[in-house]
Amino acid sequence: MVDAHSFISKATVLIIDDDPSKHNLTSDLLKDYCKAVRVAKNTKNALKIVQSDSPPDIIFLKIMMPGVAGYEDCKNLNRVSKTRSIPVIFLTEKNEMADEAYDFERGILDCIAKPISFVNLLGHVKTHLEMKNRDNFFGAWNALLEDQVQKRTAELMAALDVAIQAMAYLGETRDNVTGNHVCRVQYYVKALAEKLRFHPRFVSFLDNDYTIELLIKTAPLHDIGNVGIPDRILLKPGRLTPDEFDIIKTHTSIGRNVILQAERDLKTEMPFLKYAKEIVYSHHEKWDGSGYPEGLAGDAIPISARLIAIADVYDALISRRVYRPSVSHEQAVKIILEGKSTQFDSDIVDSFNEVHEEFHRISQTYADSEQDFKKKIDYLEKAIAVDPYS
């Protein structure tokens, strides 16, 4: 005798059959063994039952009914998300067995020929409920694992963001700018990248949100090499001598070497730091080859560094320094436009010109306060007073 407890005793069965005498027979065979047996005369009524708060665990569907063939009803059931996971077993006459009954691509799992054998019927129910229960278990397990992976990934990405921001702020604390500079540069780069993402020259580079996100996240690292520059030079309130400027230029190599050393220590190259290395090392290169550290020109300069170059120069121009006042937004735009094809990539300058009002809005939203500026003055004076020849 088929084991009729366990899954069967907890199951709700739905029978879709337009013939009362036939579905009553099937219902009578199952009602003493199942939790509930429900009946629908067509798929329309069946869908209402399926979409209710108590959907069935298994469906018996007659192949041939007036108006539409059973396999078409099965396709309709498969279109509904709640129904798609419910096993469908066809009820058929023997002369229909060679018809569409075994077209599994239509979602048909099994077929029972009439007259129905009681033992055969319960055996089919038990088998498919066990399979459904197994699939539900593994589906829930996979969903749980996926949820855990997503949470862990989110935690790691959050930790990565914090680490990058901490590194960026560490670099900025050594310079005479404020932490708002970090935020502004990030948003400038975002505005430029989104404007350029469909440009023929840049579409292959900015082809997805992930690339733009990495650029935004790593943009603040552009000056982390400042941590290796002596205070007497980095914080000098006046013009630098040629020798001092040569030392300042080494911040590009210092910053990149910090990242490279971290990768060597970890014995792996981190993909998310690829743009960081480009930005840190090459954002002072100029389109005409007159920049540093390598004197790269044109397309030899990484795109990431070209984007940062405009963002960084714009922010430097509109920001007050201890050794000079800030310039207006209009003046900053004019200076950048004058650097087209000499200091900057002409196409990026054109895009900047189209979004420069967004740059202005960002600069106003994240403007430095007077208190921020005074703090930087105090820091500069104390740093030089402690060791003016460091």
Side-chain angles (χ1 to χ4, degrees):
M1 189 69 171
V2 175
D3 178 9
H5 58 77
S6 184
F7 300 111
I8 298 178
S9 63
K10 300 174 184 177
T12 296
V13 176
L14 173 61
I15 302 169
I16 309 174
D17 193 331
D18 64 306
D19 186 341
S21 64
K22 297 294 177 64
H23 67 61
N24 285 342
L25 175 59
T26 309
S27 176
D28 289 342
L29 290 172
L30 292 172
K31 66 182 181 180
D32 291 334
Y33 295 92
C34 298
K35 177 181 177 181
V37 178
R38 307 188 68 180
V39 176
K41 292 183 179 181
N42 52 51
T43 309
K44 182 179 179 181
N45 293 336
L47 287 175
K48 292 179 180 178
I49 295 173
V50 168
Q51 294 175 334
S52 70
D53 293 334
S54 302
D57 299 292
I58 191 167
I59 297 173
F60 287 95
L61 173 62
K62 182 181 176 182
I63 286 184
M64 302 303 295
M65 290 190 292
V68 63
Y71 59 83
E72 290 298 331
D73 284 334
C74 191
K75 287 170 65 176
N76 292 332
L77 291 169
N78 280 331
R79 292 190 182 102
V80 181
S81 59
K82 270 192 173 182
T83 316
R84 197 173 298 127
S85 62
I86 301 174
V88 177
I89 300 176
F90 268 14
L91 299 174
T92 179
E93 303 295 340
K94 284 187 176 180
N95 60 358
E96 297 168 343
M97 291 290 287
D99 198 10
E100 316 291 342
Y102 293 114
D103 192 345
F104 294 104
E105 291 183 1
R106 290 188 171 99
I108 303 160
L109 292 179
D110 205 347
C111 188
I112 300 178
K114 302 176 182 178
I116 297 172
S117 161
F118 171 68
V119 173
N120 189 29
L121 177 64
L122 287 185
H124 279 72
V125 173
K126 180 175 183 294
T127 297
H128 287 289
L129 288 178
E130 287 176 340
M131 292 171 60
K132 181 173 182 280
N133 187 71
R134 180 202 62 196
D135 291 342
N136 288 344
F137 171 79
F138 285 113
W141 180 252
N142 288 336
L144 177 63
L145 290 177
E146 183 176 351
D147 181 62
Q148 291 298 316
V149 168
Q150 289 178 349
K151 286 181 179 178
R152 294 294 185 187
T153 301
E155 291 172 359
L156 288 172
M157 292 306 296
L160 172 62
D161 291 347
V162 171
I164 289 176
Q165 291 296 103
M167 291 173 65
Y169 286 131
L170 179 63
E172 301 303 343
T173 57
R174 298 278 339 287
D175 202 351
N176 46 18
V177 296
T178 72
N180 285 353
H181 170 70
V182 170
C183 294
R184 292 194 297 266
V185 168
Q186 283 184 300
Y187 286 115
Y188 298 152
V189 169
K190 182 175 186 290
L192 266 182
E194 289 181 345
K195 182 64 181 177
L196 287 162
R197 69 182 305 168
F198 300 113
H199 190 287
R201 283 184 60 214
F202 305 103
V203 66
S204 61
F205 176 69
L206 301 169
D207 61 345
N208 59 69
D209 293 334
Y210 180 67
T211 297
I212 294 177
E213 183 180 1
L214 283 182
L215 287 173
I216 295 168
K217 287 181 183 295
T218 55
L221 298 178
H222 61 282
D223 278 334
I224 61 168
N226 285 340
V227 297
I229 304 300
D231 283 345
R232 64 181 176 83
I233 297 174
L234 185 68
L235 304 179
K236 185 177 180 179
R239 177 180 288 276
L240 297 174
T241 67
D243 288 342
E244 289 171 337
F245 186 58
D246 285 340
I247 293 174
I248 282 287
K249 289 192 289 187
T250 64
H251 82 279
T252 57
S253 300
I254 292 171
R256 186 185 65 166
N257 290 342
V258 166
I259 298 173
L260 290 173
Q261 185 59 53
E263 289 183 326
R264 282 194 291 269
D265 291 344
L266 293 171
K267 295 182 174 57
T268 182
E269 185 173 352
M270 307 301 292
F272 70 87
L273 288 176
K274 175 181 184 295
Y275 301 129
K277 287 180 286 189
E278 294 177 350
I279 288 168
V280 168
Y281 191 61
S282 302
H283 71 283
H284 285 293
E285 299 286 5
K286 296 183 180 180
W287 189 252
D288 61 6
S290 63
Y292 65 88
E294 294 190 1
L296 299 178
D299 287 329
I301 306 170
I303 295 173
S304 57
R306 286 179 248 165
L307 295 172
I308 289 292
I310 287 183
D312 193 37
V313 168
Y314 173 83
D315 201 65
L317 289 169
I318 59 100
S319 300
R320 183 168 50 157
R321 296 289 188 264
V322 295
Y323 50 85
R324 63 157 178 80
S326 63
V327 305
S328 68
H329 166 74
E330 291 72 21
Q331 289 174 302
V333 172
K334 181 175 182 294
I335 291 170
I336 289 177
L337 294 181
E338 289 173 350
K340 179 178 178 178
S341 299
T342 54
Q343 185 169 354
F344 309 112
D345 184 321
S346 60
D347 287 329
I348 297 181
V349 170
D350 288 341
S351 292
F352 162 79
N353 196 33
E354 293 182 42
V355 297
H356 72 78
E357 290 298 337
E358 176 66 8
F359 272 54
H360 189 219
R361 186 192 67 77
I362 293 167
S363 70
Q364 296 297 301
T365 302
Y366 299 96
D368 300 327
S369 67
E370 187 65 27
Q371 185 178 13
D372 289 333
F373 187 72
K374 288 180 178 179
K375 285 181 180 178
K376 295 305 291 189
I377 295 291
D378 291 342
Y379 174 81
L380 183 152
E381 292 174 347
K382 291 175 182 178
I384 295 178
V386 169
D387 188 1
Y389 302 107
S390 60

